[in-house]
């Protein structure tokens, strides 16, 4: 349906009540706006750009009300491409995306191309089981067929021959040039892309600061009740994990074949996994919930974890590892977690989350 332009009327316009055509609705509108003004802080563009404030807009996509106003508002609130910080390797110091002035950055005016993978999505075309990486152009120019280097994969060269432009559910082949601030879709093979990856050209390897995950609080073993659908089940789990729908933890030393352990912030994430496995892969899943409610990554590594365990300074703690082989400690209560933090928190470098490694190492059996 073709969009139609509509006049924008402010709340203090004398014509507003007549345009609504209902005195009670008009009075309710004024009351609701006054309530929102009293409950929320005024819009601060500086705080918005620092990621400290989020505007809330009201509309209805179903009735096509307010959609154009939403797009226009996003355009007016958006900022031009800004410098992006490079990875400093200090996970504990992450607070927000704000630049303090001490970081090394890449300017959007740089001639060399650089891009940041901020989202992955599987099955955008269900007929082909494809995977798309959403890449934000941070500097330089992007054109289809560009040869780039993959930072996490030690500078491995990739030719991005099938780039796409994205608008809602519509996709089309990229024919022109994309500039800093633009988002392009890159089809990729399994394991090739991950959220937080950096693509770049030039002789110097760079890696942008990563995006942290929320600390999980729900843990469940993910069981396939239909062994005959083993391949479809594993493929679905793998693609949903790549998207970041949930996190995966493993029993220590598990190199594949074990029951996946899913870690989520809330039960809705597990429901989404179940629904998508059923609708997109025609497989069912059963969850075996685990009693743990807190997780901490031990960034000091397995050697320190083993030493602490041998000294019996960690009691009632389950030890797992993430997909990169790093130790993850699960706790059954906030009390046991607080005790562990007080006793060995600094020694084990306990963190509520762990960013993707700057350079991916091969996992070794423990």
């Amino acid at each position: 349906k073709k969009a139609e332009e509509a006049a924008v009327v402010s709340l203090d316009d004398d014509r507003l009540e007549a345009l609504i055509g209902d005195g009670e609705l008009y009075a309710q509108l004024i009351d609701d706006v006054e309530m929102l003004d009293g409950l929320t802080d005024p819009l601060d563009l500086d705080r918005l750009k620092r990621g400290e404030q989020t505007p809330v807009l009201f509309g209805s996509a179903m009735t096509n009300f307010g959609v154009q106003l939403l797009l226009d508002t996003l355009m007016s609130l958006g900022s031009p491409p800004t410098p992006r910080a490079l990875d400093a390797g200090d996970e504990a110091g992450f607070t927000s995306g704000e630049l303090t002035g001490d970081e090394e950055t890449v300017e959007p005016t740089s001639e060399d191309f650089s891009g940041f993978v901020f989202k992955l999505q599987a099955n955008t075309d269900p007929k082909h089981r494809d995977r798309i990486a959403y890449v934000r152009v941070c500097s330089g120019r992007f054109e289809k067929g560009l040869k780039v280097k993959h930072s996490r994969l030690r500078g491995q060269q990739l030719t991005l021959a099938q780039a796409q432009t994205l608008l809602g559910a519509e996709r089309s082949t990229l024919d022109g040039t994309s500039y800093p601030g633009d988002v392009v879709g890159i089809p990729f093979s399994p394991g090739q892309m991950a959220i937080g990856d950096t693509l770049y050209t030039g002789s110097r390897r760079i890696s942008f600061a990563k995006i942290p995950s929320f600390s999980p609080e729900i843990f469940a073993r993910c069981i396939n009740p239909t062994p005959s659908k083993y391949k479809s089940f594993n493929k679905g789990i793998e693609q949903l994990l790549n998207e970041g729908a949930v996190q995966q933890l493993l029993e220590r030393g598990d190199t594949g074949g074990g029951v996946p352990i899913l870690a989520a912030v809330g039960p809705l994430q597990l429901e989404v996994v179940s629904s998508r496995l059923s609708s997109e892969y025609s497989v069912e899943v059963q969850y075996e919930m685990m009693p743990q409610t807190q997780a901490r990554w031990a960034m000091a590594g397995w050697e320190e974890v083993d030493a602490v365990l041998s000294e019996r300074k960690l009691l009632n703690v389950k030890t797992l590892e993430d997909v990169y082989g790093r130790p993850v400690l699960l706790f059954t209560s906030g009390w046991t977690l607080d005790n562990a933090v007080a006793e060995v928190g600094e020694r084990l470098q306990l963190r509520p989350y762990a960013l993707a490694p700057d350079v991916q190492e091969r996992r070794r059996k423990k």
Side-chain angles (χ1 to χ4, degrees), residues 237-280:
I237 290 292
E238 177 190 1
Q239 293 199 3
L240 293 177
L241 288 170
N242 286 339
E243 287 186 26
V246 289
Q247 299 181 64
Q248 181 180 16
L249 301 177
L250 305 165
E251 296 288 352
R252 186 174 179 181
D254 182 4
T255 57
V259 176
I261 297 174
L262 303 187
V265 178
L268 180 60
Q269 289 177 272
L270 297 182
E271 292 176 15
V272 169
V273 171
S274 298
S275 175
R276 291 191 59 184
L277 284 175
S278 176
S279 63
E280 298 177 20

Side-chain angles (χ1 to χ4, degrees), residues 70-353:
L70 167 67
L71 298 175
D72 292 342
T73 302
L74 292 177
M75 290 294 293
S76 65
L77 295 179
S79 61
T82 58
R84 191 171 190 94
L86 294 178
D87 190 358
D90 182 13
E91 297 184 358
F94 183 93
T95 54
S96 73
E98 181 184 6
L99 299 179
T100 63
D102 298 328
E103 305 93 343
E104 184 180 1
T105 61
V106 172
E107 298 291 332
T109 54
S110 171
E111 293 185 1
D112 289 331
F113 165 81
S114 64
F116 182 75
V117 179
F118 66 91
K119 176 183 178 180
L120 301 179
Q121 187 169 353
N123 297 333
T124 54
D125 184 353
K127 296 180 181 179
H128 297 93
R129 298 290 189 196
D130 61 345
R131 304 172 181 85
I132 297 292
Y134 290 70
V135 179
R136 180 175 296 280
V137 180
C138 300
S139 67
R141 299 182 179 185
F142 178 88
E143 295 178 344
K144 186 174 64 174
L146 181 69
K147 296 183 184 296
V148 302
K149 298 173 183 176
H150 193 308
S151 182
R152 179 172 55 85
L153 301 183
R154 298 178 178 273
Q156 175 183 335
Q157 183 168 289
L158 306 175
T159 300
L160 307 181
Q162 300 181 36
Q164 300 173 346
T165 58
L166 308 161
L167 180 61
E170 298 179 1
R171 300 184 302 169
S172 58
T173 301
L174 176 66
D175 294 322
T177 302
S178 296
Y179 299 89
D182 290 343
V183 174
V184 295
I186 307 295
F188 66 97
S189 302
Q192 192 177 57
M193 296 287 185
I195 295 174
D197 280 348
T198 298
L199 307 176
Y200 67 97
T201 60
S203 57
R204 181 196 174 197
R205 176 184 168 274
I206 64 171
S207 179
F208 289 119
K210 307 296 189 298
I211 302 175
S213 300
F214 289 105
S215 184
E217 298 179 357
I218 293 179
F219 308 90
R221 300 183 188 279
C222 187
I223 299 171
N224 174 20
T226 312
S228 61
K229 295 187 176 182
Y230 172 82
K231 289 185 177 180
S232 296
F233 179 84
N234 283 357
K235 185 175 183 179
I237 290 292
E238 177 190 1
Q239 293 199 3
L240 293 177
L241 288 170
N242 286 339
E243 287 186 26
V246 289
Q247 299 181 64
Q248 181 180 16
L249 301 177
L250 305 165
E251 296 288 352
R252 186 174 179 181
D254 182 4
T255 57
V259 176
I261 297 174
L262 303 187
V265 178
L268 180 60
Q269 289 177 272
L270 297 182
E271 292 176 15
V272 169
V273 171
S274 298
S275 175
R276 291 191 59 184
L277 284 175
S278 176
S279 63
E280 298 177 20
Y281 299 92
S282 300
V283 297
E284 301 300 321
V285 61
Q286 293 178 353
Y287 293 125
E288 182 182 296
M289 304 306 295
M290 299 171 62
Q292 289 79 14
T293 59
Q294 307 280 343
R296 289 297 183 269
W297 272 253
M299 303 308 294
W302 281 111
E303 185 174 343
E304 281 296 330
V305 170
D306 290 337
V308 168
L309 289 172
S310 66
E311 297 167 11
R312 299 187 61 79
K313 292 184 177 180
L314 279 177
L315 300 177
N316 300 319
V317 174
K318 184 170 185 59
T319 57
L320 300 173
E321 63 182 45
D322 66 8
V323 293
Y324 301 109
R326 300 175 297 195
V328 183
L329 310 182
L330 302 189
F331 302 86
T332 55
S333 68
W335 183 82
T336 57
L337 170 61
D338 291 341
N339 279 350
V341 170
E343 185 76 14
V344 294
E346 292 187 9
R347 180 177 174 184
L348 294 183
Q349 301 176 36
L350 296 181
R351 303 285 186 268
Y353 57 80

